[in-house]
Amino acid sequence: RARQGEPWAEFNATDFSSGSLLRVSAGTQVKDLANSIGKHALRRRAVAVHVFSEDQGSVFTAVKAIGSVPTEKPGLRVECVPSFGWASDGAGGRTRLLRLYIQPSKSPP
């Protein structure tokens, strides 16, 4: 379910270094990623998931894992704020990066 979040100015003032960073690749398993997201969201209160946007399979894995968090961590609901950025492609160029910032839900069930 979608809901209106905090204003962008407030969100952009977030200290993103205080959370964890998980990277999704072709070998990432949905269940393992969902467990990791839940664990880090509870322990650090936030987790960022990064995935190359051109890698459709990995994007699917990331989104499916976010939706699976309540199944893997019963009772835990999370909120996700997506954004796009850039990452080095290793050959001197850049590639699009999908960034998913995830926190435990602040809204009632």
Side-chain angles (χ1 to χ4, degrees):
R1 164 179 107 206
R3 73 167 186 84
Q4 184 166 344
E6 59 198 347
W8 277 113
E10 187 177 326
F11 176 77
N12 287 332
T14 301
D15 178 12
F16 295 103
S17 66
S18 67
S20 300
L21 173 62
L22 301 174
R23 291 182 175 90
V24 182
S25 64
T28 303
Q29 299 296 309
V30 171
K31 184 174 184 159
D32 295 339
L33 181 58
N35 273 313
S36 292
I37 290 170
K39 180 177 72 175
H40 289 282
L42 287 171
R43 184 182 304 149
R44 307 278 311 262
R45 302 302 299 160
V47 59
V49 175
H50 288 187
V51 58
F52 292 117
S53 60
E54 293 85 9
D55 185 347
Q56 293 178 355
S58 294
V59 170
F60 172 84
T61 297
V63 173
K64 181 79 172 178
I66 293 166
S68 299
V69 169
T71 301
E72 300 304 323
K73 297 287 185 187
L76 177 60
R77 295 176 57 236
V78 294
E79 298 175 353
C80 175
V81 178
S83 64
F84 285 104
W86 293 99
S88 170
D89 67 3
R94 300 186 314 167
T95 187
R96 276 299 223 184
L97 187 69
L98 174 61
R99 302 176 300 199
L100 304 163
Y101 185 72
I102 304 160
Q103 304 176 84
S105 182
K106 298 173 191 140
S107 61

